[in-house]
Amino acid sequence: MTKCPVCGAEVDVAAIKAQTGTTGGGAREMDPRAGTRQFHDGQWFYFDTIECRNNFTMQPDRYLSGQG
Amino acid sequence: MNFGYSPEQEALRSEVQTFIRDNVTDELVEEMDIHSGTDRPRGRGPLGQALYRQIGERGWLGIAYPSEYGGQGGSRIDQYIVEEEFLRAGIQISMIGSGAPAILAAGTEEQKRYYIPRLIRGEVSFCLGFTEPHAGADLANLRCSAVRDGDEFVINGQKMYTTSAHVSTHIYLMARTDRTASKHKGISIFIFPMDTPGLTVRPLWTIQNNPSAPKFTTYGAARTNEVFFDDVRIPASALLGEENDGWRVGSMGLNLDRVGAGRYLISVRRDEDIINFLKSDEALGARLSESEVVRDKVAELWTEAQVCRLMTMRSMSIVERGGAFSYEGSAEKVWAPEHGVRISESIMQMLGPHGSLLRGSPHSVQDGLYAHNVMGSFQSGINHGSVQIMRDQVARRGLGMPSSRGNKAAGVK
């Protein structure tokens, strides 16, 4: 578990990355309702919603400096 | 300059039309539907495979591609004619957005021999892994990284709005291979299978989801995707072109991918649909067709559509001659989507409230086709390079204008 850097909610990293299906081309598929993540400056950040991730994308420094 | 087709080309069109009339069924169109949220790879069901065999036997697959790679070594105009007729019937056999031109231009001999025949036969299909949360219109800002490790590259990062990632066999990925270079340098292109360990796909549902768009909707896909890469290891042989030369390879490939029937028909199909509706036996269509305002508007929009057609033919003619091709595809990509928006709005005005009803609703016109087209029309100006970026390319490459301040700051000449 980790905390969403935008809203502080608990985020289940394992659930976000868990395989829930397989695409027609054979790729692993995830459940979009489990949360999402973003690759930023060489590391992954995890979010409870895509809205939180959008806010992070707009102002990453704000949330990384703990001023969010 | 000849604006017409030769007698041989007219005969080819007639032959293709006859084949479609005799062989293309509703079940086949349904199986090869490119609009629904299906996770079935396009053209790989039993009916689609049978169709590919049949049209392959007639020499209609990959007409303009070199014969040593499974094509026919023929004319782009012939290929356009075949693709146009199939698209009109609701079946995409064209390789628009396939990456095939880039492979021919920059690929190794091994890549050409593996991918081109399989793309032509519909056995392999690519999704384009370009856009990221940070990098859409400003694509060169991409951050997905590929780090060399001996004979492999290790990919980490994510892509967004990856159309068809859920039905494609391979990804055509743009990733950063040198973080110290300026943002248009240090980028490379890779092609590798979607079932590579560490690659995962997450659905994103579009404006066309629930109800899903009826067939023949332009830009009617109910689903797009995010793609994540966690320590994805791929062989160095997956690299397309030179390492760190991916911006040039990718831009050139996108430009060439825009040439052909696919782009043209996406934009003008709406004109043909409403004209056919107005000429049909449907009461609403028959009543509207008598209106002077409607007739005037339809004639105006049809005329605009012919501009799309001429721009497409001009681009094909340049590529066929082996001429320099840089901004012409961008100009098409400005005119055609904006025409699509204009005609979608005009059709809504013609149809009145019935035109706004979605698929499945009582009183919807042609199962909500025109309402779904309105929603899709705005996507076409964003996907595959926004019209604003395309205008900038026309200004710089076509009109010789200096780079904008923003581009100069980013190192774009």
Side-chain angles (χ1 to χ4, degrees):
Chain A
M1 300 290 276
T2 187
K3 285 192 184 299
C4 170
V6 174
C7 72
E10 289 274 315
V11 180
D12 186 344
V13 174
I16 287 175
K17 297 171 86 167
Q19 180 173 2
T20 54
T22 305
T23 70
R28 298 168 72 248
E29 194 162 28
M30 295 176 287
D31 184 349
R33 293 165 300 185
T36 188
R37 53 185 169 142
Q38 179 153 328
F39 194 64
H40 179 80
D41 275 352
Q43 64 173 307
W44 288 103
F45 291 86
Y46 297 86
F47 306 89
D48 59 331
T49 65
I50 204 159
E51 288 77 14
C52 282
R53 194 180 79 182
N54 288 344
N55 287 332
F56 181 85
T57 303
M58 296 297 128
Q59 298 176 289
D61 293 341
R62 173 181 168 188
Y63 297 106
L64 293 177
S65 66
Q67 295 168 9
Chain B
M1 186 178 287
N2 183 3
F3 286 95
Y5 296 105
S6 68
E8 292 77 17
Q9 287 166 339
E10 294 290 6
L12 172 64
R13 186 184 294 281
S14 174
E15 193 182 347
V16 175
Q17 287 172 338
T18 302
F19 174 87
I20 290 171
R21 198 165 48 244
D22 293 345
N23 295 281
V24 172
T25 61
D26 288 344
E27 291 76 19
L28 173 62
V29 173
E30 186 73 25
E31 186 190 287
M32 297 188 74
D33 181 17
I34 58 176
H35 298 126
S36 68
T38 176
D39 58 1
R40 187 180 50 233
R42 184 171 64 241
R44 297 181 76 202
L47 299 176
Q49 285 299 293
L51 175 75
Y52 272 105
R53 271 197 302 278
Q54 282 179 293
I55 57 182
E57 286 163 5
R58 285 163 175 76
W60 293 345
L61 278 180
I63 290 176
Y65 284 85
S67 52
E68 63 266 39
Y69 304 126
Q72 307 295 323
S75 141
R76 271 191 170 258
I77 305 294
D78 288 355
Q79 181 167 320
Y80 173 92
I81 289 168
V82 173
E83 291 176 356
E84 181 179 25
E85 292 304 325
F86 274 98
L87 275 170
R88 194 166 274 128
I91 292 177
Q92 183 174 325
I93 61 163
S94 63
M95 296 197 291
I96 183 171
S98 70
I103 293 174
L104 277 179
T108 62
E109 189 60 26
E110 187 182 359
Q111 287 171 327
K112 291 176 194 174
R113 290 197 181 280
Y114 182 82
Y115 285 117
I116 303 296
R118 287 169 175 78
L119 283 165
I120 289 172
R121 293 196 299 265
E123 296 167 8
V124 158
S125 58
F126 298 159
C127 56
L128 297 186
F130 284 15
T131 301
E132 298 180 9
H134 298 93
D138 183 17
L139 182 59
N141 201 28
L142 64 88
R143 299 177 186 188
C144 182
S145 75
V147 177
R148 192 180 265 276
D149 182 16
D151 291 337
E152 294 181 323
F153 281 88
V154 183
I155 315 282
N156 277 289
Q158 70 193 102
K159 294 291 172 180
M160 197 166 182
Y161 302 122
T162 312
T163 305
S164 301
H166 58 299
V167 292
S168 299
T169 61
H170 289 67
I171 187 163
Y172 178 97
L173 180 79
M174 193 178 263
R176 188 161 297 286
T177 37
D178 182 354
R179 293 181 70 177
T180 63
S182 66
K183 72 178 191 177
H184 290 83
K185 311 286 183 188
I187 289 173
S188 301
I189 303 271
F190 301 91
I191 302 173
F192 54 94
M194 291 295 287
D195 60 1
T196 305
L199 186 157
T200 41
V201 173
R202 178 182 188 268
L204 296 172
W205 301 104
T206 76
I207 194 170
Q208 298 285 20
N209 185 41
N210 195 22
S212 61
K215 62 186 176 186
F216 301 134
T217 302
T218 43
Y219 280 93
R223 174 179 171 171
T224 181
N225 305 276
E226 287 185 278
V227 183
F228 297 90
F229 306 87
D230 291 278
D231 292 326
V232 174
R233 286 189 169 269
I234 55 171
S237 59
L239 181 66
L240 179 66
E242 297 292 321
E243 188 174 344
N244 297 326
D245 192 31
W247 185 257
R248 186 190 67 80
V249 173
S251 304
M252 175 261 298
L254 279 177
N255 253 342
L256 290 172
D257 265 338
R258 292 189 182 109
V259 180
R263 173 70 54 202
Y264 162 73
L265 267 189
I266 281 170
S267 301
V268 305
R269 175 78 203 232
R270 301 174 181 93
D271 299 82
E272 297 186 357
D273 285 339
I274 191 66
I275 291 167
N276 287 335
F277 176 72
L278 294 172
K279 289 160 66 177
S280 73
D281 295 332
E282 297 240 10
L284 178 61
R287 183 162 59 81
L288 288 173
S289 67
E290 293 173 358
S291 158
E292 289 174 4
V293 175
V294 167
R295 296 162 70 96
D296 184 86
K297 180 54 79 177
V298 167
E300 177 188 321
L301 293 167
W302 178 86
T303 306
E304 280 191 15
Q306 301 318 299
V307 177
C308 294
R309 176 184 280 276
L310 289 174
M311 292 174 91
T312 300
M313 302 301 272
R314 176 170 178 258
S315 296
M316 283 195 299
S317 165
I318 293 169
V319 174
E320 182 106 331
R321 292 196 311 268
F325 185 76
S326 62
Y327 66 94
E328 294 83 357
S330 306
E332 276 184 66
K333 179 69 176 56
V334 171
W335 180 261
E338 293 190 341
H339 166 71
V341 171
R342 283 193 293 276
I343 188 163
S344 297
E345 290 177 347
S346 296
I347 291 171
M348 292 294 273
Q349 288 171 353
M350 290 177 206
L351 297 176
H354 292 319
S356 67
L357 299 174
L358 293 173
R359 184 182 194 187
S361 171
H363 311 297
S364 64
V365 181
Q366 291 187 288
D367 203 18
L369 174 65
Y370 301 105
H372 284 273
N373 273 343
V374 166
M375 296 191 284
S377 67
F378 296 100
Q379 276 181 274
S380 64
I382 300 168
N383 294 7
H384 225 242
S386 72
V387 293
Q388 289 78 16
I389 294 292
M390 295 299 110
R391 282 199 183 91
D392 181 66
Q393 291 178 356
V394 172
R396 281 187 293 115
R397 299 174 186 168
L399 307 180
M401 303 274 286
S403 242
S404 66
R405 270 196 295 275
N407 275 338
K408 279 179 184 163
V412 178
K413 301 255 174 14

